Amino acid sequence: MTQCLSTNGPLPLQGVQARGRVVGRMLEMQLEQRYRNPEDVNVEVVYTFPLPWHAVLLGLEVELNGETLSGVVKARTQARADYEDALEDGDSAVLVTVNPDRTHTLELGNLLPGETCVVRLRYVQPLQPQQGSLRLLLPTTLAPRYGDPVRDGGYEPHAVPQVDPTAEYPFDIRLDIEGELARAAIGSPSHPVTLRTLSGVGGTVVQVALGRTAWLDRDFVLVFDGIGQASHGLAAWDRLDPGLGVVMAGLTPLLPNHEALPVTLKVLVDCSGSMAGDSIQAARRALQRILQALQTGDRFSLSCFGSTVEHRSRSLWRVTPATLASGRRWVERLDADMGGTEMRLAILSTLQLGSSNARDGAGEGPAAQADVLLITDGEIEAIEDVVATARHSHQRFFVVGIGASVAEGLLRRLAETTGGSCEFVAPGEDVEPAILRLFHRMRAPKVLHARIEWPTGCTVHAEGDLPRSLFAGDDVTVLAWLRASSAEALCGPVRLYGRIAGAESEMLLAELQPHFIADEPNTLARLAAHQRYQQLRRAGADAPAVLRQQLPLLAEKYQLVTEDTSLVLIQQRAEGQQAQSMPELRPVKGMLAAGWGGHGSVEFGMDKPNYLMAPSPRLAQMRFGIDLPATPALRGSTANRAKKLRAFLDNLVDDGPMRGPAASPEDEQSVIQTPEDKPEFWTTVDDDTEGVTWTAYEGLTPAGFLEWLRLNPQTPPATFEALRQTGLPAAVVEWLEFVVGEQAPEAEVVAAFLQVMVTQHCTFVQTEASVLGRLPQPQQPVSDAVLEAVRSALASMTDTEWPQSVLDYAEVGEGG
């Protein structure tokens, strides 16, 4: 394997190989991480890496000094003590722990000079098709996240993921596909792959391999299309508990035909710095497809966020040609230029849109029945706060995860916790199938009071929870421990029942008959134990105290790496071969995800990591919250470019943003002038919900708008967008666009607004002559009817306040 380098010298991680087998709807994967100590001192390697969200880590094997050892799961505190004791004794040790976001940290202590160590991690993952399609994801890198990883993310300081934009780690993967999925259409939107079909003992086997060199700079994605929508199940005895069987039921609900229901949709798109480049382009494509999918009878709002949140409207718009056209223009202007990722505040204010009870949080009105469609890469640390905010909203979250290294765990938790759903789109991948699947779920009637009927004659010992929402064609995997007298009894019919919203009685939604397997490794029982553990952890104080106390014992019994347990492995070195001092810490700094923050592009070639092609201008944005300059040109050899990029990034962190050249006098003369920052010219209306203050709307007051006209007599606004650019509150422009604009063309409405403003509301400073005399005559004739509509609506405005009926136009009749 090639030597891995960075501008800081040789790296301890040599690369990662993945070898997997898909049988039916189960993935068995082995990840091989190869380490080498190129230094002349003993080191402790620390590497934090991701695994798929639904993966269950089953084992650890290490090759060191010609010896192969296996890890053991122990209580977390005991495993840590054993690891530290081994290092103090001069022995080598490996410790694997799980972090709060379910990433894992591997610590390899006392790797002596010149030594090589091979670490093999084995996991299993149930695969869940969705509406005839399946997405297999292997995350390979962790992109930088907004926030404090220790305070907000719960990381131990030594385990915080680090990034080196100049690091290079090769990656290789091979998969054998057997059974049902071998007959599907297979492809990868993330990597070039080769497919080879072979005849095996059990039937056709499709071998998937990489088509060319790959790196740990993007997630590996494999998509299976054309999968039959049918339930399936497996059954086996639990080898640790005689008489106890395990059934894994993969249920695919089939709902009766129904008329597509209207949706009330709040679109919230991430425009933080990490979305620059590939991700924001994919987000724009997704948003345009979302607007195309809206139908008459739907309502929607559009919002974007970064360090702050901006709402295109404070109301839920009806679907009309005018609102769709305005939405498309808004999408075209979106860019990843809003700084950090204050997702919780953005979610909180978006939840209140359209609610007549926004201030008291009553949760009634249109907002209570709305769905939130979030488009993001999910790169934040404050996961728990965001999930808690969403959980208490009583609004479903449908999430589109975009990017080459999406934070899968956060996005799936958001969707699963609120009863929504999640789709992922790789850069360059067609977004339409994902958007259509989301709308299919949103427009479906809700399934109420779902329950599973396990085989007759079996006694339920413990069973997993069903998700909060069931959707037609989406596979749901539930495991249960059953006491049964025989394998035949264990394989009796499993049925899923539920009542469709609007129906009086429950109906059969899915049915299967499990297939019995020997399961020598006891995999099904370990999966059931992991599901049980996570279920009781989520229940928290609601779970019986006696069950909560048994969680560490459950994890140790079934050898599961959890919040209470860790994997530990000790190699006792022979006398004279032990380390003579404590090891020096060597964290493995991951590659920067391709496309993150404008860093390269997945659509470029993959023969070299993408930092050589387009370095990110926003690398420090997430952690340091600074405004960044334009990207410098990087030319020259690979080493030179790497050195320049490193110096550029260091300069951003240490010295702050560089400034561009000063504007010339000629440039200053053409710049639009803005009214002074005086209270009579600007207004900000804040709202307070759950103790968090957010801006409901802000902009120019009536006097401030007249001052803008006085300062810029040669450039009077002639369009709704031009009015918006002056700084008028968005609600005022929307009132003109969607209320008055229903009666007349855009140019006429804007001209009427200007005429009414300068003739009806001139202060002692801004006389009618000083303002009106400077405005050119409108090209569009203004009718008396439009003038009267604007004049009567603005009759109650003052110098500093717009009429409340204009600001709340959406709550008056059906205007919004």
Side-chain angles (χ1 to χ4, degrees):
M1 191 169 287
T2 57
Q3 173 70 49
C4 297
L5 300 173
S6 80
T7 52
N8 298 322
L11 301 171
L13 177 63
Q14 300 293 289
V16 174
Q17 291 183 343
R19 298 291 182 264
R21 178 170 174 255
V22 176
V23 182
R25 297 187 182 180
M26 187 82 75
L27 168 66
E28 301 170 356
M29 183 69 82
Q30 177 179 278
L31 296 180
E32 182 178 287
Q33 302 169 353
R34 185 174 292 270
Y35 299 92
R36 181 177 180 275
N37 180 5
E39 304 183 52
D40 57 4
V41 296
N42 57 309
V43 300
E44 179 183 20
V45 180
V46 178
Y47 180 33
T48 296
F49 59 93
L51 288 180
W53 180 244
H54 292 299
V56 179
L57 185 60
L58 295 182
L60 166 70
E61 182 181 274
V62 171
E63 285 186 20
L64 181 62
N65 296 323
E67 188 176 3
T68 300
L69 304 170
S70 297
V72 178
V73 171
K74 296 184 178 182
R76 193 174 182 116
T77 53
Q78 184 60 55
R80 168 62 68 184
D82 291 352
Y83 174 81
E84 298 294 345
D85 288 347
L87 267 56
E88 292 172 6
D89 293 339
D91 296 326
S92 294
V94 176
L95 182 70
V96 178
T97 55
V98 66
N99 301 306
D101 61 355
R102 289 200 211 173
T103 60
H104 290 70
T105 296
L106 180 141
E107 298 169 58
L108 168 58
N110 277 337
L111 190 62
L112 300 187
E115 283 189 337
T116 296
C117 178
V118 178
V119 175
R120 297 186 183 95
L121 298 160
R122 185 170 61 88
Y123 71 83
V124 66
Q125 177 185 1
L127 302 176
Q128 301 184 102
Q130 295 182 324
Q131 300 173 42
S133 179
L134 173 67
R135 190 180 190 85
L136 186 156
L137 172 70
L138 174 59
T140 67
T141 189
L142 295 170
R145 295 178 180 176
Y146 178 79
D148 188 304
V150 176
R151 183 193 64 229
D152 302 327
Y155 275 95
E156 294 183 73
H158 72 278
V160 172
Q162 299 184 45
V163 168
D164 181 352
T166 65
E168 300 179 8
Y169 305 112
F171 166 69
D172 185 54
I173 185 170
R174 287 209 304 266
L175 291 169
D176 289 342
I177 315 297
E178 303 176 24
E180 173 193 7
L181 294 180
R183 299 186 293 273
I186 304 174
S188 173
S190 61
H191 294 73
V193 295
T194 61
L195 304 179
R196 185 183 179 193
T197 303
L198 305 173
S199 296
V201 177
T204 299
V205 177
V206 176
Q207 290 186 340
V208 180
L210 291 176
R212 51 179 164 164
T213 304
W215 308 86
L216 291 179
D217 67 343
R218 70 200 69 198
D219 296 341
F220 176 80
V221 179
L222 200 63
V223 176
F224 301 81
D225 286 323
I227 303 172
Q229 297 184 21
S231 300
H232 67 100
L234 296 173
W237 294 117
D238 183 344
R239 296 184 173 275
L240 297 182
D241 199 332
L244 199 62
V246 181
V247 172
M248 184 174 75
L251 298 154
T252 306
L254 299 177
L255 306 184
N257 292 331
H258 61 86
E259 183 179 350
L261 299 177
V263 298
T264 299
L265 188 63
K266 299 175 179 180
V267 177
L268 179 61
V269 59
D270 184 350
C271 287
S272 63
S274 68
M275 290 283 289
D278 286 342
S279 296
I280 196 66
Q281 293 176 24
R284 291 193 201 101
R285 292 196 300 270
L287 284 164
Q288 295 290 12
R289 190 61 190 88
I290 289 166
L291 293 174
Q292 292 174 20
L294 292 171
Q295 302 173 5
T296 302
D298 296 340
R299 297 176 75 90
F300 71 103
S301 66
L302 299 168
S303 306
C304 58
F305 73 98
S307 298
T308 58
V309 58
E310 296 179 5
H311 301 297
R312 176 62 183 85
S313 72
R314 295 191 307 117
S315 63
L316 293 165
W317 290 347
R318 291 182 294 113
V319 173
T320 67
T323 57
L324 290 177
S326 184
R328 285 191 290 270
R329 292 193 297 270
W330 180 81
V331 169
E332 291 169 359
R333 294 192 302 270
L334 286 178
D335 205 353
D337 56 1
M338 295 184 66
T341 316
E342 291 290 348
M343 189 180 290
R344 181 179 178 271
L345 182 59
I347 286 176
L348 191 61
S349 62
T350 300
L351 292 172
Q352 303 304 317
L353 287 177
S355 174
S356 58
N357 296 297
R359 292 184 181 277
D360 59 19
E364 300 175 0
Q369 288 80 44
D371 293 323
V372 177
L373 197 155
L374 174 64
I375 301 176
T376 181
D377 56 9
E379 302 297 354
I380 64 169
E381 295 288 4
I383 293 174
E384 297 303 326
D385 289 346
V386 170
V387 171
T389 299
R391 182 172 59 246
H392 295 123
S393 71
H394 306 296
Q395 297 179 41
R396 297 184 300 180
F397 276 69
F398 292 84
V399 185
V400 181
I402 286 180
S405 178
V406 179
E408 180 195 14
L410 166 65
L411 304 188
R412 289 201 182 279
R413 283 186 64 191
L414 267 177
E416 293 172 4
T417 299
T418 60
S421 183
C422 204
E423 293 280 351
F424 296 91
V425 179
E429 185 178 5
D430 184 11
V431 302
E432 183 169 1
I435 298 303
L436 291 179
R437 286 192 294 267
L438 285 178
F439 270 96
H440 173 79
R441 299 177 188 115
M442 292 178 199
R443 296 190 186 282
K446 293 183 179 180
V447 177
L448 309 174
H449 309 298
R451 64 180 181 89
I452 294 180
E453 187 179 89
W454 297 100
T456 304
C458 297
T459 303
V460 177
H461 177 71
E463 64 179 318
D465 293 329
L466 282 166
R468 291 188 60 176
S469 293
L470 299 176
F471 301 103
D474 285 3
D475 195 79
V476 175
T477 300
V478 182
L479 292 105
W481 273 302
L482 306 175
R483 296 213 173 270
S485 57
S486 65
E488 290 75 13
L490 202 60
C491 292
V494 178
R495 299 183 177 93
L496 172 64
Y497 291 94
R499 182 169 64 83
I500 308 299
E504 295 183 357
S505 58
E506 71 174 6
M507 62 180 297
L508 179 65
L509 303 178
E511 182 176 7
L512 61 86
Q513 194 134 359
H515 170 66
F516 190 84
I517 59 174
D519 194 19
E520 296 289 342
N522 211 31
T523 300
L524 288 188
R526 296 181 73 183
L527 283 173
H530 184 267
Q531 186 178 77
R532 180 65 170 166
Y533 179 92
Q534 296 298 334
Q535 177 183 342
L536 293 174
R537 288 278 301 188
R538 287 193 302 269
D542 294 334
V546 64
L547 292 179
R548 294 201 307 274
Q549 294 168 1
Q550 293 174 1
L551 284 179
L553 297 177
L554 177 69
E556 278 197 73
K557 176 180 178 180
Y558 287 93
Q559 290 291 283
L560 302 173
V561 179
T562 66
E563 290 85 341
D564 294 303
T565 54
S566 300
L567 257 172
V568 66
L569 181 153
I570 308 295
Q571 187 200 45
Q572 293 183 337
R573 292 181 176 270
E575 191 73 29
Q577 297 180 0
Q578 296 168 317
Q580 299 303 305
S581 62
M582 292 299 288
E584 296 188 14
L585 185 65
R586 293 293 183 268
V588 173
K589 298 181 179 181
M591 293 182 68
L592 187 60
W596 181 90
H599 171 87
S601 172
V602 174
E603 297 180 16
F604 290 154
M606 288 182 290
D607 294 331
K608 273 293 180 183
N610 283 337
Y611 80 87
L612 299 177
M613 302 183 184
S616 170
R618 299 189 176 275
L619 179 64
Q621 186 88 40
M622 303 293 276
R623 289 203 190 283
F624 300 100
I626 59 178
D627 295 327
L628 301 173
T631 309
L634 295 186
R635 301 181 181 276
S637 67
T638 297
N640 254 353
R641 284 180 287 183
K643 183 181 293 185
K644 289 181 181 179
L645 177 58
R646 167 60 62 190
F648 169 61
L649 298 173
D650 289 343
N651 177 67
L652 288 178
V653 174
D654 297 336
D655 301 328
M658 296 180 288
R659 299 186 181 274
S664 66
E666 292 78 12
D667 292 334
E668 292 178 356
Q669 291 175 5
S670 62
V671 172
I672 297 294
Q673 297 188 59
T674 302
E676 295 180 57
D677 189 14
K678 294 182 177 180
E680 62 266 30
F681 290 160
W682 297 93
T683 182
T684 299
V685 177
D686 292 333
D687 206 340
D688 185 85
T689 306
E690 297 183 4
V692 177
T693 301
W694 53 279
T695 299
Y697 67 90
E698 60 185 348
L700 291 169
T701 62
F705 180 67
L706 288 174
E707 178 68 3
W708 190 97
L709 291 175
R710 189 183 70 80
L711 293 172
N712 303 281
Q714 304 304 317
T715 55
T719 64
F720 297 134
E721 178 56 27
L723 283 175
R724 199 171 286 112
Q725 294 301 321
T726 68
L728 273 177
V732 175
V733 183
E734 288 162 12
W735 164 73
L736 286 168
E737 187 173 0
F738 303 129
V739 179
V740 186
E742 288 189 352
Q743 310 171 33
E746 179 178 15
E748 182 179 355
V749 173
V750 175
F753 176 69
L754 295 180
Q755 187 172 334
V756 169
M757 286 298 297
V758 297
T759 57
Q760 182 170 323
H761 188 76
C762 284
T763 66
F764 65 93
V765 175
Q766 301 148 329
T767 65
E768 180 175 338
S770 67
V771 177
L772 187 58
R774 296 187 179 200
L775 298 180
Q777 291 300 311
Q779 299 294 316
Q780 178 76 33
V782 180
S783 69
D784 292 340
V786 176
L787 274 173
E788 181 55 33
V790 176
R791 184 179 291 113
S792 61
L794 296 178
S796 62
M797 68 179 170
T798 66
D799 281 2
T800 57
E801 292 184 359
W802 297 96
Q804 198 63 39
S805 60
V806 169
L807 297 174
D808 295 336
Y809 74 92
E811 298 173 13
V812 181
E814 285 294 314

